Amino acid sequence: MRVRKPFWPPPDTFSTLETRGLEWLHCFRAFAGRAIALRREQGRAQELEPALRGFVQQYPLVPAWRTGLAYLYSELGREAETREQFEFMAADNFAALPNDANWSVGAALLAQACAFLGDAERAAVLYARMLPHATRSTNVGAGAGILGCLSRPLGLLATTLWRWEDAERHFRYALDVHARMGASTWLAWTHYSYAEMLHRRHAEGDREKALEQVNSALDIAQDLGMKALLERALALKIEVQGISSTDINTSIDAVASLVFTEKPDLKKHAAPDGTVTIMFSDIEGSTAMADRLGDKRFMDVLREHNAIVREQVKSHGGFEVKSEGDGFMVAFQSAGKALACASAIQKALLARNDSAAEPVKVRMGLHAGEVIKEG
């Protein structure tokens, strides 16, 4: 691959060896930027820590790497490490974040770390500095990646400040921009952040709107294989629905109740002869499992189970009608596809159970018939 020589500093400033070294550094930084985005979406963000810590130590005058490290720790849920890096950058009203080409990148990453920490005082400072640039989008380096429209991190900051109307305005704007840009990953994350804000505000009608937003995030995350967002959005959906480990055993009843109330139209998922095949599934003994494992460990098992089910449903052309906790209702155009999907789910769980500390058994049932919609 031929690498174009950097246009700055001028070529005569360096020896040939130094120039080649600078070319390598530019390429490596670009690669690092892309790797960070990719690993995060794959749910492998923890692999980036050694490299980012090395960048911070090697280039202490380039604040973008430290903001990236703060962002990484917030993604991993490590509060103490996030606070350490964030405090360094936030000192003296973010004096360490210069107004240069890296400012918008650093500000966007720090906004997420700030929201994760719930630091309202610093959120107000960042919000005021970023607000004039709300309609702009952030590029990382010379095409190394994008961080989306700055309205999304502004929405995070407004949520931290409990400025609900401002947060909603920012998220709606970011959704529109990301959709028009075709920035699907940032569109999905904006749906998720908007859902989180609605869940926290908890005003009349917010539960329904939050479920709509988180379902949009789940759809995109599943299509693009965004494992990190898929797990986080699934956990948020369960929380919004009010499903806890004490009532997971009623998940099929909850699915049936929702279907009875909402009456989804399954005609478009029927076969040419008008028949549709419905598959129901849930985890056997989930209540006892939840009591034994505790909420945190049980949620890990639940996320893994749900990911397996959704992967096979997608592979076999199924349509997820409703899900509550560990309960699923899925529609298929053919009984053959439904049976193949049920078999594939059982085989995938069997393979998982061979090496898992906590085995998962699933009850499944199928019914085929003509679609009739009443009321």
Side-chain angles (χ1 to χ4, degrees), residues 191-211:
H191 280 302
Y192 171 79
S193 300
Y194 189 11
E196 266 197 324
M197 185 280 291
L198 292 167
H199 182 51
R200 288 182 61 180
R201 184 172 66 177
H202 202 59
E204 184 178 353
D206 277 352
R207 179 180 181 275
E208 292 75 15
K209 290 195 290 185
L211 285 173

Side-chain angles (χ1 to χ4, degrees), residues 251-317:
S251 54
I252 285 295
D253 293 329
V255 168
S257 177
L258 279 175
V259 171
F260 179 80
T261 302
E262 300 178 10
K263 297 181 174 60
D265 188 358
L266 299 182
K267 288 183 179 179
K268 61 183 179 180
H269 305 291
D273 64 357
T275 60
V276 66
T277 302
I278 300 296
M279 180 184 79
F280 283 96
S281 78
D282 74 342
I283 295 177
E284 180 182 321
S286 57
T287 301
M289 184 191 300
D291 291 340
R292 184 173 68 255
L293 298 179
D295 283 347
K296 187 177 185 303
R297 286 184 60 202
F298 178 72
M299 285 301 299
D300 290 338
V301 174
L302 181 60
R303 292 189 192 103
E304 192 174 354
H305 157 267
N306 289 2
I308 288 173
V309 172
R310 285 194 166 97
E311 181 181 1
Q312 295 304 326
V313 167
K314 180 181 178 182
S315 297
H316 291 82

